[in-house]
């Protein structure tokens, strides 16, 4: 018998480690609620995790088995489970953060000390970190070069799901209830999450492939449109397999009705590659979650401004597209990717607040929080990361709103104070006089002057570079 340790792979189909365990022996599926992981979790992600576990357990029960869920330290719980059920070893799929790798190494030592087999597999990505490198064998720091190799490298087919004959019968397992949020020390989140589970993930994929993928290249930039796949949480938690997604995308490419549609499909493929690029950045540099990747001659003079940070978090900056995005985050535990870039630029450039403050807030609220994607995304916006935007590129939130939400539909959805107000007045809100704003809508006045903030941000980075003429 083999214990299969589920983590961020809450599905049975296209699960590489689970398929390997089923090929080797009968499988006991297990999940360990790890308090060490919960210390870094927010209520929305724990809610998603519990709902996904319920869905996964229902799948196993439909096959005559069950998902065994225990709480504790996996270095203790996994050897105990293996011993209690007379299993020969434990299989799992890899994760790439520094904390996950430390935990997995400790689990491996604990299992091997007990004479148990410990096997780990690369499942969350197509290509194992460290296998797509420069000609000198170094990890890529520029995405475009990584993408060229990634797209041309063959991809594995989806792995088969285990059948009932490969699973421990439910009669041999305790039918303990799943913990709830209160048991784990979390309050029910205010955000309303999208449907959770493998069926829901496949429904989202099918809906995306049924038209939107062929308009993705343009539509993905407009938050008021249903132009994205909304699969980010599913890929983060593994309620759908990356090979399943890629296989379906390849089929969509073959069916593309014209060159423009084919280019849109290719653009979506490139987003899957970005996910793996950032995974290999994290793998090569685990400190990317807390330390600047790009070095400057001097420390960056980030500002400490608790009131500005509070206004940003609650969507009261007085910049409509920024406030809409931050309110979407609170209401849905999700934010459109274009808007993520806008709000990140605003925090790090207009407010000159350390990107780590934004990363911590996203980690707390985003249901799709992924250490690699989020830390690298924040460092991209802050001009401190791998392949980041230049420090002198500062998004103008007004221009961004006009360009990507021209009719202010997205803004009005999340900032109802602007309901019924013409789009040009919504976008022009930061440029109105205080008297005009008082007459227009009940919404906060802008907390900074963007033009002045832009110059201040550029100056901050020039001083860090030693370009301010002071010698350094």
């Amino acid at each position: 018998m083999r214990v299969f340790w589920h983590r961020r792979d809450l599905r049975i189909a296209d699960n590489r480690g689970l398929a390997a365990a089923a090929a080797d022996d009968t499988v006991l599926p297990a999940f360990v609620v790890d308090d060490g992981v919960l210390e870094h979790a927010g209520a929305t992600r724990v809610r998603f995790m519990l709902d996904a576990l319920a869905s996964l357990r229902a799948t196993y029960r439909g096959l005559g088995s069950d998902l065994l869920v225990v709480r504790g330290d996996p270095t203790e719980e996994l050897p105990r489970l293996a011993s209690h059920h007379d299993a020969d070893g434990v299989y799992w799929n890899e994760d790439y953060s520094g904390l996950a790798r430390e935990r997995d190494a400790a689990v491996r030592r604990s299992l091997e000390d007990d004479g148990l087999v410990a096997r780990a597999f690369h499942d969350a990505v197509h290509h194992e970190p460290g296998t797509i490198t420069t000609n000198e064998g170094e990890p890529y720091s520029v995405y475009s070069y990584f993408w060229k190799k990634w797209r041309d490298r063959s991809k594995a087919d989806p792995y088969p799901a285990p059948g009932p004959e490969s699973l421990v019968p439910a009669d041999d397992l305790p039918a303990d209830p799943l913990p709830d949020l209160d048991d784990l020390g979390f309050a029910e989140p205010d955000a309303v999450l999208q449907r959770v589970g493998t069926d829901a993930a496949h429904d989202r994929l099918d809906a995306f492939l049924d038209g939107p993928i062929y308009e993705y290249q343009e539509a993905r930039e407009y938050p008021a449109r249903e132009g994205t796949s909304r699969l980010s949480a599913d890929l983060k938690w593994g309620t759908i397999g990356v090979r399943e997604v890629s296989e379906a995308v390849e089929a969509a490419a073959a069916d593309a009705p014209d060159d423009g549609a084919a280019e849109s499909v290719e653009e979506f493929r490139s987003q899957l590659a970005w996910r793996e690029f950032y995974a290999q950045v994290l793998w090569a540099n685990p400190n990317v979650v807390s330390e600047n990747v790009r070095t400057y001659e001097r420390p960056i003079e980030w500002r400490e401004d608790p009131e500005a940070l509070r206004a940003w978090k609650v969507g009261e900056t007085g910049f409509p597209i920024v406030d809409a995005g931050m309110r979407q985050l609170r209401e849905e535990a999700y934010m459109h990717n274009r808007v993520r870039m806008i709000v990140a630029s605003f925090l790090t450039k207009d407010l000159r607040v350390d990107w780590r403050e934004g990363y911590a807030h996203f980690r707390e609220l985003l249901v799709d929080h992924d250490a690699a994607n989020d830390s690298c995304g924040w460092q991209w916006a802050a001009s401190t990361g791998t392949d980041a935007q230049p420090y002198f590129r500062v998004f103008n939130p007004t221009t961004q709103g006009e360009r990507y939400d021209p009719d202010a539909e997205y803004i009005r959805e999340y900032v109802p104070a602007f309901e019924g107000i013409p789009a040009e007045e919504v976008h022009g809100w930061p440029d109105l006089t205080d008297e005009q704003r008082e007459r227009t809508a009940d919404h906060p006045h802008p907390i900074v002057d963007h033009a002045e903030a832009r110059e201040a941000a550029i100056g901050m980075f020039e001083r860090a570079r030693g370009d301010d003429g002071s010698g350094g």
Side-chain angles (χ1 to χ4, degrees), residues 2 57 80 106 119 136 163 179 181 183 187 206-207 214 229 232-233 241 245 285 303 311 317 323 349 384 445:
R2 299 289 192 269
R57 170 172 272 186
R80 183 186 65 79
R119 293 190 65 191
E136 290 73 36
L181 277 172
D183 293 333
D206 291 345
Y214 296 123
S229 70
S232 55
V245 173
N285 181 13
R303 295 171 61 244
T317 68
D323 294 342
K349 302 291 178 65
T384 61
H445 296 192

Side-chain angles (χ1 to χ4, degrees), residues 87-337:
D88 300 316
V90 178
Y91 290 22
W92 67 88
N93 290 316
E94 297 272 12
D95 203 350
Y96 303 117
S97 73
L99 289 174
R101 289 158 71 184
E102 290 175 8
R103 175 197 61 200
D104 292 359
V107 168
R108 181 180 293 277
R109 288 192 298 269
S110 180
L111 292 168
E112 291 177 346
D113 285 347
D114 283 3
L116 297 164
V117 174
R119 293 190 65 191
F121 300 84
H122 293 279
D123 170 78
V125 294
H126 282 292
H127 306 299
E128 176 183 343
T131 60
I132 296 181
T133 63
T134 66
N135 293 336
E136 290 73 36
E138 297 296 323
Y140 277 109
S141 59
V142 177
Y143 167 74
S144 58
Y145 299 131
F146 177 89
W147 159 240
K148 289 176 183 177
K149 287 189 177 179
W150 184 95
R151 71 183 179 188
D152 294 334
R153 188 165 294 191
S154 63
K155 310 290 187 283
D157 293 332
Y159 291 91
E165 70 285 351
S166 300
L167 302 170
V168 174
D171 292 345
D172 295 341
L173 300 173
D176 297 330
L178 293 175
D180 59 25
L181 277 172
D182 187 59
D183 293 333
L184 302 182
F186 292 89
E188 192 69 41
D190 294 330
V192 178
L193 306 186
Q194 60 186 11
R195 283 176 56 229
V196 177
T198 297
D199 288 344
H202 279 277
D203 287 345
R204 279 187 281 275
L205 176 60
D206 291 345
F208 180 61
L209 297 175
D210 189 26
I213 193 171
Y214 296 123
E215 301 175 353
Y216 178 78
Q217 190 166 33
E218 178 184 0
R220 70 190 181 94
E221 298 285 9
Y222 297 89
R225 300 188 192 178
E226 294 293 334
T228 63
S229 70
R230 291 297 295 262
L231 289 172
S232 55
D234 299 302
L235 288 169
K236 180 270 186 303
W237 285 102
T239 50
I240 196 168
V242 68
R243 288 156 298 275
E244 292 179 302
V245 173
S246 289
E247 183 178 65
V249 169
E250 291 299 325
D255 293 338
D258 52 50
D259 289 346
E263 289 173 3
S264 282
V265 176
E266 189 72 351
E267 179 60 38
F268 183 72
R269 286 187 73 225
S270 77
Q271 296 305 309
L272 297 176
W274 267 109
R275 178 175 171 271
E276 298 201 14
F277 174 67
Y278 282 156
Q280 66 98 33
V281 170
L282 177 66
W283 174 82
N285 181 13
N287 292 330
V288 70
V289 298
S290 58
E291 298 177 6
N292 295 340
V293 174
R294 178 177 295 180
T295 57
Y296 288 86
E297 290 294 320
R298 302 171 184 169
I300 299 171
E301 300 164 356
W302 300 115
R303 295 171 61 244
E304 292 189 13
D305 190 337
E307 179 53 32
L309 179 60
R310 182 208 65 82
W312 176 82
K313 287 181 176 180
V314 299
E316 294 180 353
T317 68
F319 287 82
I321 191 71
V322 174
D323 294 342
M326 299 309 295
R327 294 182 186 200
Q328 182 185 26
L329 175 61
R330 285 164 47 205
E331 293 175 20
E332 299 176 12
Y334 170 84
M335 190 190 301
H336 186 276
N337 188 61

Side-chain angles (χ1 to χ4, degrees), residues 10 33 41 53 71 82 95 137 189 196 216 229 240 271 275 310 315 320 325 359 402 419 424 460:
L10 303 181
V33 179
L53 286 173
R71 184 176 183 182
D95 203 350
V196 177
Y216 178 78
S229 70
I240 196 168
Q271 296 305 309
R275 178 175 171 271
R310 182 208 65 82
Y359 173 74
E402 291 171 337
E419 188 64 40
E424 59 270 20
M460 176 181 74

